[in-house]
Amino acid sequence: MTRLAICPGSFDPITYGHLDIIERGARIFDHVIIVVFNNQSKSPLFSVEERFKLIKQSTEHLENVSVDSSGELLIDYATQKNAQAVLRGLRAVSDFEYEMQITSMNRKLNENIETLFMMTNNQYSFLSSSIVKEVAKYKANVSDLVPKPVEEALNKKF
Ligand code: ADP
């Protein structure tokens, strides 16, 4: 049996914090699918297509990782793919409440799919897509926060 994990998120844009969780997940699971979900309430900077492309370019080195996008409910997507797990990253305590809510709803919808959390690498505890966008807007150097293709895309946007 192939152990498959879904790594869902907005990825607007993908950062080294995301990538760290993905790389660690890829060592545990046979396959990881990163899925871009379009969370309109977050008024994204990058379109789903742009985010998808940036993730693809940033994960080329990972053989057992693929990228997808979906407009479906996460748990429906994961069920269709026969995934065993949904993989999420946890940073500060502030992530916890939100993640608890989603996880308990997802378990109610399909109790066979586990949500697994990985603690952020200390180095990235305060890294988020929002903070990257905020500083990139003012032309700050973000080269140690995001992969090269993302840095270039941010330079183009601003
Ligand atoms: P969402 O809109 O679903 O929260 P995000 O793109 O913001 O999507 O995050 C996707 C996942 O990546 C979440 O589980 C989030 O906690 C995790 N994540 C984001 N940044 C980091 C980071 N710096 N370290 C660890 N996990 C992170």
Side-chain angles (χ1 to χ4, degrees), residues 62-136:
L62 300 169
E63 266 176 25
N64 59 339
V65 171
S66 55
V67 193
D68 198 1
S69 63
S70 172
E72 279 176 279
L73 202 59
L74 161 65
I75 210 70
D76 289 343
Y77 180 92
T79 306
Q80 260 175 41
K81 294 281 176 190
N82 275 324
Q84 281 76 32
V86 170
L87 182 63
R88 300 278 292 172
L90 268 188
R91 286 161 294 186
V93 183
S94 49
D95 276 346
F96 188 79
E97 211 171 306
Y98 172 71
E99 296 294 343
M100 274 286 275
Q101 263 185 24
I102 299 195
T103 303
S104 77
M105 178 51 77
N106 283 343
R107 181 171 305 121
K108 193 168 137 62
L109 295 171
N110 185 342
E111 62 180 16
N112 295 318
I113 298 177
E114 279 301 334
T115 303
L116 295 181
F117 293 97
M118 275 189 177
M119 262 200 10
T120 185
N121 191 321
N122 281 348
Q123 204 179 341
Y124 304 127
S125 334
F126 298 102
L127 179 56
S128 68
S129 300
S130 325
I131 202 85
V132 166
K133 285 181 279 189
E134 197 55 40
V135 297

